[in-house]
Amino acid sequence: MYPINIAYPPIGIAIIPENHEIICDNTVGQLFWMDADTGRIIRRKSIDSGPLDELGKAYYNTAFAVNVDKKLILAASTSISANPRTSIVILDANTGMEVSSFGLTGWGFGDRPLAGAISDDGKFIALGSYRRSTVIRIANGQNVFSNENHNADDPNTIWSIAFTHDGKWLIRGGTKMDMWNTRTWVKQYQITGDYYSSVAINGNSTRVLAGGMGGLRLIDLSSGRIIREFSLPPTEPRYKWAYYSVGFISGGPLAYGVLWHVANPQGAIAIWDTSSGKLIGISDSTSDTELLRCATYSDGIIYAASGKNIYLYKVGMR
């Protein structure tokens, strides 16, 4: 475990294996590139600039995603001024240089993006918020799909969003989880639950791992059927833990879940075999006063960013 102070809580974390670099952002519009071995900050960049508010902050970073293959970073930030605006910036992950940028009309601070994703082909981004979700073409900022998801008939705040690797599906996680066909933009399946705060797709786009207040579930993409629900041992009562961040390790079948203890806020990482449902191991709980934010994987190591103290935890796989 090595501490890296990035001043404010992180929105997301990713690793570029070829560069052996970690990329992390924080809530006030700053991006950091760090050496994955030492934690040394290699580069930093401010996403937005503008008049400061009374707290000294002009913008809040609200959504973050990285396309590792195409080396693209998505950073969404929303101003907290009297006339709020939301800005989308696409950056080159190698250089930090801007590739594309555009603003979103009608996305104020109360409807700021809560989740973001980049398609594997690097052509589209997806954003989800309290009231809506949208898919945008990076090249020209054109909106190709939009869904007003917060209404009396079908309320669904979007906390997580992802494209499948083959580009055929858009997965949205929130107060429920649903799957959209990206050719027709018709909703195919919907699964109820308690706040799916994180979703991940396995390597061949056949399974979805969904975690949140309701636990951790493995879902078949072709049918929308829940294949498996993962349970912690009796020494770790399930109702006390929520899965804040989940992911497949090298495409699966092993997967991780970043746990948050509801009663006594602290974090831990659990490793599961999704084929058998076996719990491989669980880390010691952190003493941090906030949950672990996100995690990623490279070369048998999970890197996880915590909240209040802004540490990065390096957990070796045995």
Side-chain angles (χ1 to χ4, degrees):
M1 184 177 81
Y2 50 86
I4 301 175
N5 191 333
I6 58 173
Y8 293 92
I11 297 296
I13 178 174
I15 188 167
I16 306 295
E18 302 95 297
N19 302 351
H20 218 59
E21 290 179 356
I22 299 168
I23 301 175
C24 186
D25 75 339
N26 66 16
T27 54
V28 295
Q30 298 172 319
L31 275 173
F32 298 84
W33 283 255
M34 296 160 281
D35 184 279
D37 288 325
T38 65
R40 180 178 62 89
I41 296 176
I42 301 168
R43 183 187 309 118
R44 66 183 76 202
K45 183 181 181 70
S46 294
I47 300 301
D48 260 308
S49 60
L52 299 180
D53 73 344
E54 65 275 10
L55 299 177
K57 309 182 197 66
Y59 295 87
Y60 275 100
N61 264 24
T62 56
F64 170 84
V66 174
N67 181 319
V68 173
D69 292 331
K70 299 296 182 182
K71 307 296 188 295
L72 294 175
I73 299 171
L74 158 66
S77 57
T78 302
S79 66
I80 52 176
S81 61
N83 298 303
R85 70 181 181 91
T86 290
S87 301
I88 306 299
V89 180
I90 309 298
L91 302 170
D92 184 305
N94 286 329
T95 65
M97 298 297 292
E98 183 177 304
V99 174
S100 178
S101 65
F102 40 87
L104 294 180
T105 303
W107 292 60
F109 190 73
D111 194 29
R112 60 195 179 278
L114 301 172
I118 309 175
S119 62
D120 274 33
D121 61 11
K123 295 181 179 179
F124 300 93
I125 63 169
L127 298 167
S129 76
Y130 177 70
R131 294 186 178 91
R132 71 189 85 185
S133 56
T134 189
V135 176
I136 300 170
R137 192 184 305 275
I138 292 176
N140 56 15
Q142 178 187 1
N143 189 351
V144 298
F145 167 73
S146 184
N147 175 251
E148 297 290 330
N149 50 267
H150 196 79
N151 56 66
D153 296 327
D154 188 26
N156 191 14
T157 298
I158 305 302
W159 293 103
S160 54
I161 198 164
F163 292 99
T164 55
H165 302 298
D166 57 15
K168 294 180 180 179
W169 299 90
L170 178 70
I171 313 299
R172 306 187 315 168
T175 46
K176 59 193 74 174
M177 196 190 81
D178 52 31
M179 293 166 267
W180 295 72
N181 186 311
T182 58
R183 293 183 179 134
T184 62
W185 292 116
V186 171
K187 183 164 59 177
Q188 299 293 114
Y189 308 109
Q190 182 170 283
I191 300 171
T192 59
D194 295 321
Y195 292 97
Y196 291 102
S197 54
S198 182
V199 295
I201 317 299
N202 71 341
N204 59 8
S205 297
T206 59
R207 301 285 188 266
V208 180
L209 192 66
M213 294 294 291
L216 185 63
R217 293 173 173 174
L218 185 68
I219 298 160
D220 178 64
L221 257 174
S222 63
S223 65
R225 180 176 60 90
I226 296 174
I227 300 171
R228 195 179 301 281
E229 297 196 44
F230 301 92
S231 298
L232 292 170
T235 52
E236 302 284 353
R238 183 183 180 210
Y239 71 91
K240 290 185 178 180
W241 292 97
Y243 289 85
Y244 190 84
S245 180
V246 301
F248 285 97
I249 297 174
S250 298
L254 293 184
Y256 63 79
V258 177
L259 296 159
W260 175 50
H261 196 288
V262 179
N264 301 296
Q266 54 188 306
I269 300 174
I271 308 296
W272 300 89
D273 185 330
T274 59
S275 297
S276 64
K278 179 183 177 182
L279 177 65
I280 304 299
I282 183 169
S283 71
D284 292 334
S285 299
T286 71
S287 59
D288 201 342
T289 56
E290 293 190 19
L291 68 163
L292 294 173
R293 294 287 178 171
C294 291
T296 189
Y297 173 85
S298 176
D299 298 332
I301 297 172
I302 294 174
Y303 298 85
S306 70
K308 183 177 180 180
N309 292 318
I310 323 302
Y311 289 103
L312 290 175
Y313 296 88
K314 192 162 68 170
V315 182
M317 294 279 293
R318 295 291 187 268

Short mmCIF file of all heavy atoms in Angstrom, two decimals, residues 43 85 91 229 250 254 316:
data_model
loop_
_atom_site.label_atom_id
_atom_site.label_comp_id
_atom_site.label_asym_id
_atom_site.label_seq_id
_atom_site.Cartn_x
_atom_site.Cartn_y
_atom_site.Cartn_z
N ARG A 43 2.44 13.07 -14.22
CA ARG A 43 1.84 14.19 -14.93
C ARG A 43 0.53 14.54 -14.26
O ARG A 43 -0.14 13.68 -13.70
CB ARG A 43 1.60 13.79 -16.39
CG ARG A 43 1.05 14.89 -17.29
CD ARG A 43 0.69 14.34 -18.67
NE ARG A 43 1.77 13.58 -19.28
CZ ARG A 43 1.69 12.30 -19.60
NH1 ARG A 43 0.57 11.62 -19.36
NH2 ARG A 43 2.71 11.68 -20.15
N ARG A 85 -23.01 24.56 -16.14
CA ARG A 85 -22.89 23.88 -17.44
C ARG A 85 -22.08 22.61 -17.23
O ARG A 85 -21.29 22.51 -16.29
CB ARG A 85 -22.22 24.78 -18.48
CG ARG A 85 -20.74 25.04 -18.23
CD ARG A 85 -20.16 25.96 -19.29
NE ARG A 85 -18.73 26.20 -19.08
CZ ARG A 85 -17.77 25.47 -19.60
NH1 ARG A 85 -18.06 24.41 -20.35
NH2 ARG A 85 -16.50 25.75 -19.38
N LEU A 91 -9.55 13.00 -23.90
CA LEU A 91 -8.11 13.23 -23.90
C LEU A 91 -7.35 12.01 -24.40
O LEU A 91 -7.83 10.88 -24.29
CB LEU A 91 -7.62 13.56 -22.49
CG LEU A 91 -8.25 14.75 -21.77
CD1 LEU A 91 -7.83 14.76 -20.32
CD2 LEU A 91 -7.87 16.05 -22.46
N GLU A 229 -25.70 -15.40 -7.55
CA GLU A 229 -25.57 -14.35 -6.55
C GLU A 229 -24.48 -14.77 -5.58
O GLU A 229 -24.45 -15.92 -5.13
CB GLU A 229 -26.89 -14.10 -5.83
CG GLU A 229 -27.98 -13.60 -6.76
CD GLU A 229 -29.15 -12.99 -6.02
OE1 GLU A 229 -28.91 -12.23 -5.06
OE2 GLU A 229 -30.30 -13.28 -6.39
N SER A 250 -8.77 -9.68 -15.95
CA SER A 250 -8.31 -10.15 -17.27
C SER A 250 -9.45 -10.79 -18.06
O SER A 250 -9.28 -11.81 -18.71
CB SER A 250 -7.15 -11.14 -17.11
OG SER A 250 -6.05 -10.51 -16.51
N LEU A 254 -12.28 -14.90 -13.00
CA LEU A 254 -12.11 -14.25 -11.70
C LEU A 254 -12.61 -12.82 -11.77
O LEU A 254 -12.50 -12.14 -12.79
CB LEU A 254 -10.65 -14.27 -11.27
CG LEU A 254 -10.03 -15.63 -10.95
CD1 LEU A 254 -8.60 -15.45 -10.44
CD2 LEU A 254 -10.86 -16.41 -9.95
N GLY A 316 -1.87 -7.70 -3.72
CA GLY A 316 -1.31 -8.77 -4.55
C GLY A 316 -2.23 -9.99 -4.58
O GLY A 316 -2.83 -10.34 -3.58
#
